[in-house]
Amino acid sequence: MATFVKPENALKRAEELVNVGQKQAALQALHDLITSKRYKAWQKTLERIMFKYVELCVDMRKGRFAKDGLIQYRITCQQVNVSSLEEVIKYFMQLATEKAEQARTQAQALEEALDVEDLEVDKRPEDLMLSYVSGEKGKDRSDRELVTPWFKFLWETYRTVLEILRNNSKLESLYAMTAHRAFQFCKQYKRTTEFRRLCEIIRNHLANLNKYKDQRDRPDLTAPESLQLYLDTRIEQLKIATDLELWQEAFRSVEDIHGLMNLVKKSPKTPLMVVYYAKLTDVFWVSHSHLYHAYAWFKLFTLQKSYNKNLSQKDLQLIASSVLLAALSVTPYDQKHGASHLELENEKERNLRMASLINFTLDPKGESREMNNKGVMTCVSQEVKDIYNILEHEFFPLDLASRVQPLLAKIAKLGGKPSSASSVPEVQLSKYVPALEKLTTLRVLQQVSRVYQSITIGTLSKMIPFFDFSLVEKLSVDAAKYNFLSMKVDHLKGAVLFGNVNVESDVLTDHLAVLADSLNKARNLIYLPMKKQSKLGEKHGLAETVDKEHKRLLARKSIIEKRKEEHERQMLEMEREEESKRLKLQKVTEEAEQKRLAEEYTRRQEQRIRREIEERELQEAQALLFETQKGAKKKGKKPLLDGEKVTKQTLIELALSEQLKERQELEKKLQKLGKTMDYMERAKREEEAQLIEQAFQQHLVEEKIFHENEQLKAIELSRQHHAGDLQEKNRLARMMDDKVIFQQRIVNCRETEYNRLKKEREDTINQLIALRKHERETKRKMLFYLKSEEERLTRLREEEEARKHEEEERRKKEEAERKAKLDAIAERQRQREREAEEKERLRRDALLRRPTEALSRSIDPASGPHTADPVPVAAAAAAPTSGKYVPRFRRERNEGQTAAPPEPDRWGRQDDRAPQSGDRWRNDEQRPSYGGSRTSSASSSSWSSSRPRG
């Protein structure tokens, strides 16, 4: 594996190898570079390398190399430059297509050259033998060898590109384009096998996309662009399938489109739905599902009438006629009559599956009403409308077919491609003629059976001119099988008998019941019923009996119904059990068969490998035997083990012994030859020594003479050159003065220019220095100004904060002093109240003691009461001032100032008493201390001093 420092080197090396004809080596070198882990980052050179790489892959038809290289390149540029991958893939497909087209143009008979069933299968041995034995022409054989490989490679290219681009959201359009080109390839060259494989590949890609929803770069089907691309691809697939008449694949494509629409829960665009229903009409017609064929035509008619504004009246009439004729082509009887339960279930599943494709509801009456409401009958042609009225509403048992036949002849000529509806396929009403003839025959038989009980075969054959009587008999058998007609054909009498002789038949029973009711009504009208009073009791008992009998019959009917239901349920369970047993047995049998086949395959593989090994060993033994015998014959020896059965080991031993003997003989010959050569060389050198010396002396003399001659020639040539140089010097000497003047002028000009440029440079440098000095000065001043401004703002901010702090402290202090004042006032008020109470108590006591005192005065002199003055309560000290921050400049400003003198008490009290504090719940540390009179008065007057003075 070659290693390159740069990718460009690998590209150059590949081009060199291609120029010398070594394309395989060039391809291998580029493949090693692309798959190397060293160059994982995308660069433009890798794109050029990929272009060269795919060229070599296409030239050499190396599909596997191309796939490996594109996968590695996708990993490299997926997240970086995905458009590069798109360009490389487009170039790859372009080269493969051009090569295939060149090969096709070179071939003369393309169909013979492409007469291959499967492009992925190699030539079989029997095909090769048949081509040689049959004497195929050389040109046809060359065409087959030239064209088929290139188309195989083109098909492999499409598969490779689809595999690389699958489930990639960034290259959805390229994926769709590749799928369309592959479809066109299959259509152009009628490749049905490859088309089936291509559809399966695309179907698997979509299934994996829905299965693994956590993939990276996964397309989002809910996006309108992605959904449109996927639907376009499926619609194109459906078109090609119908063109190639692959109806099974077309039905699968229809299921794919329906599943895609159900997956995203979104209705596609109208043009796509038109193509979808147009192709459904072909699929359902081929599958003989005439009911769904008619409904598909009805959907197509609805879409064209609703959304196609350019639809002409002629095209609308043609489409409406197709709808009505398709509806008339539906078999007029149900083909499920008499079928088993399993068949009914399978038919039900099939109907549900096919009805879901076109949103069809199984309600024929509702559908007919809907068709009438939509106005289909108003748009159809007159011939089609006449046929509809004759077959569905008129009753002409004798000349029904003769009335319909000319109308069918006219309808067979109608048709064509709608000009204003490009998506609608070519309409040919003639394809409905056989179905309408069949329907006409059934209507004739049905109407004749209502009129006649029997009719001759000849008369009936004349009434139905479309078919022979054998075909009419076959149609009547199917109609009688499904209970649409009741008739018998008697060939002995040559007559056809209608009706059923069974008295219990439903038709006869209905007729008899209607006749009995009519006769009863007529009798009641003629003979009025008589009222008899004597038989009222009898009539009452008869009514009770009738009721009881009716109830008994109803009970018996319910029992019979229940028994029938039970029997049906048991039969259904038995069928289910049998079906489950059959499926289990089938599954076990299939597993055993698969296991047996796998074992048989393994055994055959082992036998094949063992047989190949034995054959290879036998071939090697035979080759060794042949070589041994060949050597023995050359030497004239007897062949070893000639005609005997030998083994590989025996021959190897014999060959080794022979090789050893030959090597020994060869060594002996070489030794003998060496001695001979030594003797000859020695003798030769002894003889040639004298001759060599003589030749050397002669050569010296010749060289000396040659040297002297050459030296004389050189001296003469030097003299001539010197003379010529002197003449040239003399010729140019007269120009010396002009040269000096010109030189001086040039030097002066350049010196002046130099001085000017030097001065300009110095001026520029001085200006730059001055400018930068000015800028530095400006910057310095700006920095100083910004710093000063910042300091000023900081000082102002600090002063503002100090002022706010001081204001807060002052407010708190005033609040505390006001509270203390209020507490002192309250305490003084309480003291006065206590003093008043004390005086009142003393007065009462004095009043009470007066009689006693009057009595005691005569004994002792009264003495005045000693009342003690109340102890003055000291005023509460001012609240301790809390510590606060004061800026330095404010402290320096307030150093020389003194405290203001206390103001007098606002209450006009001149004594030094202060009210006692009333906060009894405070701690001892927080209670104010009692000081001198000056402190007390200052504290008590602080509240009044804080108020504004008028």
Side-chain angles (χ1 to χ4, degrees):
M1 176 178 177
T3 303
F4 300 96
V5 179
K6 295 181 179 180
E8 295 86 350
N9 299 340
L11 183 59
K12 293 179 181 178
R13 179 60 178 167
E15 291 176 352
E16 293 174 356
L17 292 173
V18 171
N19 292 332
V20 297
Q22 297 182 7
K23 292 186 178 181
Q24 182 63 37
L27 180 63
Q28 188 65 41
L30 294 180
H31 182 269
D32 294 341
L33 176 73
I34 294 170
T35 57
S36 175
K37 296 181 179 180
R38 185 174 181 180
Y39 307 102
K40 289 299 180 183
W42 184 88
Q43 46 185 315
K44 190 65 176 178
T45 308
L46 288 179
E47 184 176 352
R48 298 200 306 270
I49 291 175
M50 283 303 300
F51 284 143
K52 190 65 178 179
Y53 181 77
V54 296
E55 285 181 6
L56 293 175
C57 291
V58 171
D59 289 340
M60 303 176 67
R61 293 200 294 268
K62 298 290 184 180
R64 181 63 60 183
F65 276 83
K67 184 176 182 179
D68 294 342
L70 289 174
I71 290 174
Q72 292 296 327
Y73 192 64
R74 181 189 64 183
I75 296 172
T76 302
C77 63
Q78 175 69 32
Q79 304 299 329
V80 181
N81 189 4
V82 74
S83 60
S84 177
L85 176 62
E86 182 177 359
E87 294 297 329
V88 171
I89 290 177
K90 287 182 178 178
Y91 185 64
F92 178 46
M93 290 193 295
Q94 178 185 355
L95 290 177
T97 306
E98 290 176 355
K99 290 291 184 180
E101 290 296 329
Q102 290 178 3
R104 187 178 68 87
T105 53
Q106 292 177 4
Q108 297 296 330
L110 179 60
E111 293 183 0
E112 290 81 0
L114 289 178
D115 190 12
V116 181
E117 294 181 358
D118 192 352
L119 292 176
E120 297 184 7
V121 179
D122 296 333
K123 294 181 180 179
R124 295 174 297 178
E126 53 268 24
D127 295 337
L128 294 174
M129 294 178 63
L130 183 62
S131 64
Y132 287 115
V133 172
S134 61
E136 187 179 13
K137 295 182 179 180
K139 185 178 183 305
D140 296 338
R141 190 180 301 118
S142 64
D143 291 341
R144 181 185 297 273
E145 293 176 356
L146 176 64
V147 178
T148 303
W150 278 114
F151 278 89
K152 285 184 177 180
F153 180 76
L154 181 58
W155 167 244
E156 186 178 357
T157 300
Y158 288 138
R159 289 194 58 179
T160 300
V161 173
L162 290 175
E163 185 68 22
I164 292 173
L165 300 179
R166 64 184 180 92
N167 302 341
N168 194 327
S169 60
K170 299 180 180 179
L171 296 173
E172 289 178 337
S173 58
L174 183 59
Y175 179 84
M177 183 195 73
T178 305
H180 283 237
R181 293 180 66 174
F183 288 146
Q184 293 300 325
F185 168 79
C186 297
K187 176 183 176 181
Q188 184 178 0
Y189 303 111
K190 309 296 182 184
R191 309 308 307 173
T192 56
T193 306
E194 285 74 20
F195 180 75
R196 292 191 186 94
R197 288 196 182 130
L198 181 61
C199 295
E200 192 66 27
I201 289 170
I202 297 177
R203 196 173 293 118
N204 290 335
H205 290 174
L206 182 60
N208 293 332
L209 177 64
N210 296 326
K211 183 177 180 182
Y212 305 105
K213 296 186 177 181
D214 55 347
Q215 289 181 344
R216 188 177 181 182
D217 299 326
R218 175 183 175 271
D220 186 11
L221 293 180
T222 58
E225 296 81 5
S226 301
L227 178 62
Q228 187 66 29
L229 288 174
Y230 275 84
L231 284 176
D232 289 341
T233 303
R234 267 58 183 187
I235 293 294
E236 184 68 19
Q237 175 180 333
L238 178 59
K239 289 180 181 179
I240 302 303
T242 54
D243 292 341
L244 295 177
E245 296 184 355
L246 299 175
W247 304 112
Q248 191 71 22
E249 200 60 44
F251 186 75
R252 290 197 185 98
S253 302
V254 170
E255 288 185 327
D256 293 342
I257 296 172
H258 183 259
L260 197 60
M261 290 189 292
N262 291 337
L263 182 65
V264 297
K265 304 296 183 183
K266 187 176 181 181
S267 179
K269 295 181 180 179
T270 304
L272 290 181
M273 295 305 297
V274 169
V275 177
Y276 175 72
Y277 285 116
K279 296 303 177 183
L280 272 179
T281 57
D282 298 336
V283 174
F284 286 138
W285 180 257
V286 172
S287 62
H288 301 288
S289 300
H290 299 297
L291 178 62
Y292 304 117
H293 171 75
Y295 193 79
W297 265 115
F298 173 67
K299 283 286 188 180
L300 190 60
F301 168 77
T302 305
L303 289 173
Q304 288 292 332
K305 187 177 181 182
S306 302
Y307 297 100
N308 192 353
K309 304 302 181 182
N310 300 324
L311 187 65
S312 62
Q313 186 63 29
K314 181 180 178 182
D315 295 339
L316 183 63
Q317 183 179 5
L318 193 60
I319 297 174
S321 301
S322 300
V323 175
L324 188 57
L325 292 179
L328 289 175
S329 300
V330 180
T331 306
Y333 50 82
D334 188 6
Q335 297 182 356
K336 302 176 184 177
H337 181 75
S340 64
H341 177 73
L342 183 60
E343 292 177 352
L344 291 177
E345 289 294 327
N346 293 335
E347 185 66 20
K348 182 180 179 180
E349 292 179 0
R350 177 180 176 274
N351 289 336
L352 291 175
R353 180 183 177 188
M354 298 183 71
S356 64
L357 299 177
I358 50 177
N359 297 324
F360 177 69
T361 174
L362 297 175
D363 187 8
K365 295 181 180 179
E367 286 300 326
S368 64
R369 288 195 298 269
E370 183 182 358
M371 290 171 65
N372 291 329
N373 293 333
K374 294 295 182 179
V376 177
M377 295 298 298
T378 60
C379 299
V380 299
S381 60
Q382 187 61 37
E383 295 83 359
V384 177
K385 190 180 297 184
D386 294 341
I387 287 180
Y388 174 75
N389 293 327
I390 292 173
L391 293 178
E392 297 296 331
H393 301 293
E394 302 294 339
F395 188 79
F396 302 107
L398 298 179
D399 58 347
L400 178 65
S402 61
R403 291 172 180 265
V404 171
Q405 189 172 9
L407 296 177
L408 292 179
K410 293 180 180 180
I411 289 175
K413 299 177 181 179
L414 298 178
K417 174 69 177 176
S419 59
S420 58
S422 59
S423 301
V424 179
E426 185 177 0
V427 180
Q428 294 294 338
L429 300 183
S430 59
K431 66 179 180 180
Y432 298 109
V433 172
L436 293 176
E437 292 176 349
K438 179 181 176 182
L439 177 63
T440 304
T441 302
L442 293 175
R443 292 299 184 195
V444 168
L445 293 175
Q446 185 184 28
Q447 294 181 9
V448 168
S449 66
R450 294 178 182 177
V451 178
Y452 299 97
Q453 289 185 351
S454 63
I455 191 172
T456 61
I457 295 177
T459 304
L460 187 62
S461 300
K462 293 179 180 179
M463 294 171 60
I464 304 175
F466 307 120
F467 306 113
D468 295 335
F469 186 75
S470 60
L471 296 177
V472 175
E473 186 178 5
K474 184 177 180 181
L475 292 176
S476 62
V477 168
D478 291 337
K481 177 182 178 182
Y482 296 113
N483 204 22
F484 181 72
L485 291 174
S486 178
M487 58 179 291
K488 291 182 180 180
V489 180
D490 192 347
H491 288 280
L492 294 177
K493 296 181 180 180
V496 178
L497 306 177
F498 296 102
N500 195 345
V501 296
N502 190 2
V503 181
E504 300 297 331
S505 65
D506 296 336
V507 178
L508 186 59
T509 303
D510 293 339
H511 281 293
L512 292 176
V514 171
L515 179 61
D517 292 338
S518 301
L519 292 175
N520 192 14
K521 290 178 181 179
R523 179 179 175 278
N524 291 333
L525 291 174
I526 297 173
Y527 302 103
L528 297 177
M530 300 296 294
K531 297 182 179 180
K532 296 180 179 180
Q533 300 293 334
S534 61
K535 294 187 178 180
L536 288 176
E538 183 180 356
K539 289 182 179 180
H540 181 70
L542 182 60
E544 291 181 354
T545 305
V546 171
D547 291 338
K548 290 181 181 179
E549 186 67 20
H550 181 64
K551 291 180 181 178
R552 187 181 65 82
L553 291 176
L554 290 178
R556 182 172 178 272
K557 183 178 180 181
S558 64
I559 292 171
I560 292 173
E561 292 294 333
K562 289 182 180 178
R563 287 179 179 176
K564 285 183 179 180
E565 292 177 358
E566 184 67 22
H567 180 67
E568 290 178 357
R569 186 181 62 81
Q570 291 178 359
M571 293 298 293
L572 182 60
E573 290 181 355
M574 291 177 60
E575 288 180 1
R576 289 179 179 175
E577 290 178 359
E578 291 177 357
E579 184 67 18
S580 62
K581 290 180 181 178
R582 186 183 65 79
L583 292 176
K584 289 181 181 178
L585 181 61
Q586 183 179 358
K587 185 177 180 181
V588 172
T589 305
E590 289 178 356
E591 290 178 354
E593 183 66 19
Q594 291 178 358
K595 186 177 180 181
R596 186 188 66 79
L597 291 175
E599 292 177 354
E600 183 69 19
Y601 178 76
T602 305
R603 184 178 60 80
R604 289 180 179 178
Q605 289 291 333
E606 292 177 354
Q607 291 180 357
R608 182 181 61 80
I609 293 172
R610 193 179 299 109
R611 186 168 59 253
E612 289 178 356
I613 293 173
E614 292 177 356
E615 291 177 356
R616 192 181 299 113
E617 291 181 352
L618 180 60
Q619 291 177 0
E620 293 177 356
Q622 290 177 354
L624 289 173
L625 179 61
F626 177 74
E627 292 293 335
T628 305
Q629 290 179 353
K630 185 177 180 181
K633 290 179 179 179
K634 286 182 178 180
K635 296 178 181 179
K637 297 181 181 179
K638 182 180 180 181
L640 300 174
L641 303 176
D642 191 7
E644 297 181 6
K645 184 177 181 180
V646 294
T647 61
K648 180 180 179 181
Q649 187 65 27
T650 305
L651 289 174
I652 289 174
E653 292 177 358
L654 289 174
L656 290 176
S657 62
E658 288 295 328
Q659 290 177 2
L660 182 60
K661 291 179 181 179
E662 290 179 358
R663 191 179 299 111
Q664 291 176 356
E665 293 178 357
L666 184 60
E667 288 179 355
K668 290 180 180 179
K669 288 182 178 180
L670 290 176
Q671 290 177 359
K672 184 177 180 182
L673 181 61
K675 291 180 180 180
T676 305
M677 292 297 293
D678 290 342
Y679 176 77
M680 294 296 293
E681 187 67 23
R682 189 182 303 110
K684 185 176 64 174
R685 291 185 179 181
E686 289 177 355
E687 291 294 330
E688 69 182 5
Q690 298 177 359
L691 299 176
I692 290 173
E693 182 64 27
Q694 293 177 2
F696 177 70
Q697 294 297 332
Q698 185 177 358
H699 182 67
L700 287 178
V701 174
E702 292 176 355
E703 286 293 330
K704 185 177 180 181
I705 297 171
F706 178 75
H707 174 68
E708 292 176 354
N709 294 332
E710 288 296 327
Q711 191 173 6
L712 293 175
K713 289 179 182 180
I715 293 171
E716 185 64 27
L717 185 61
S718 178
R719 289 177 180 174
Q720 293 177 0
H721 285 171
H722 180 67
D725 292 339
L726 289 177
Q727 292 178 2
E728 186 70 19
K729 179 181 178 181
N730 295 329
R731 187 178 65 84
L732 296 175
R734 58 187 177 85
M735 295 167 40
M736 181 60 67
D737 296 337
D738 297 334
K739 175 254 183 185
V740 172
I741 293 171
F742 178 74
Q743 181 178 357
Q744 188 64 31
R745 186 169 63 251
I746 294 297
V747 171
N748 294 334
C749 291
R750 291 185 179 178
E751 185 176 359
T752 304
E753 184 69 19
Y754 170 74
N755 293 332
R756 185 181 62 79
L757 293 176
K758 182 178 179 183
K759 185 178 179 181
E760 290 179 356
R761 183 172 178 274
E762 289 176 354
D763 294 341
T764 305
I765 291 173
N766 293 332
Q767 291 177 2
L768 289 175
I769 291 173
L771 180 60
R772 291 178 182 176
K773 184 177 180 181
H774 179 68
E775 290 177 354
R776 287 196 299 271
E777 187 66 24
T778 305
K779 185 177 181 181
R780 190 181 304 110
K781 289 181 180 180
M782 182 59 69
L783 291 176
F784 176 75
Y785 171 74
L786 293 175
K787 185 176 180 183
S788 301
E789 187 68 17
E790 184 178 0
E791 291 177 355
R792 186 181 66 81
L793 294 176
T794 304
R795 186 170 64 256
L796 291 176
R797 187 166 55 254
E798 290 178 354
E799 290 177 359
E800 183 67 19
E801 291 177 356
R803 187 184 62 77
K804 290 181 180 179
H805 192 273
E806 184 180 356
E807 185 70 21
E808 184 69 20
E809 291 295 330
R810 186 177 61 80
R811 189 184 60 77
K812 290 181 179 179
K813 184 177 179 181
E814 290 176 355
E815 184 69 21
E817 290 175 357
R818 187 181 64 81
K819 188 175 182 182
K821 289 278 187 178
L822 293 176
D823 292 342
I825 293 169
E827 184 63 26
R828 285 197 296 270
Q829 184 66 24
R830 286 192 295 271
Q831 184 67 24
R832 292 191 191 98
E833 291 176 357
R834 284 195 297 270
E835 289 177 359
E837 291 175 359
E838 184 66 23
K839 287 178 181 182
E840 184 65 25
R841 186 181 61 77
L842 291 176
R843 189 181 64 80
R844 286 196 303 268
D845 291 344
L847 293 175
L848 292 175
R849 283 197 302 268
R850 282 177 183 177
T852 307
E853 288 178 355
L855 184 62
S856 62
R857 278 194 191 101
S858 62
I859 302 172
D860 294 326
S863 60
H866 299 279
T867 58
D869 295 332
V871 180
V873 182
T881 59
S882 59
K884 62 181 180 179
Y885 170 75
V886 180
R888 181 182 297 174
F889 68 91
R890 192 174 288 276
R891 289 201 302 268
E892 293 174 356
R893 186 186 303 171
N894 295 335
E895 282 180 357
Q897 298 179 2
T898 58
E903 296 180 358
D905 190 8
R906 65 176 293 187
W907 302 102
R909 298 177 67 92
Q910 300 297 328
D911 55 356
D912 55 352
R913 293 180 301 172
Q916 188 178 357
S917 175
D919 295 337
R920 299 178 181 178
W921 57 83
R922 295 180 181 176
N923 296 331
D924 293 337
E925 294 81 359
Q926 296 179 352
R927 291 179 180 178
S929 61
Y930 297 94
S933 60
R934 184 180 298 275
T935 308
S936 300
S937 62
S939 301
S940 62
S941 63
S942 61
W943 178 77
S944 60
S945 64
S946 63
R947 298 175 59 86
R949 297 175 182 176

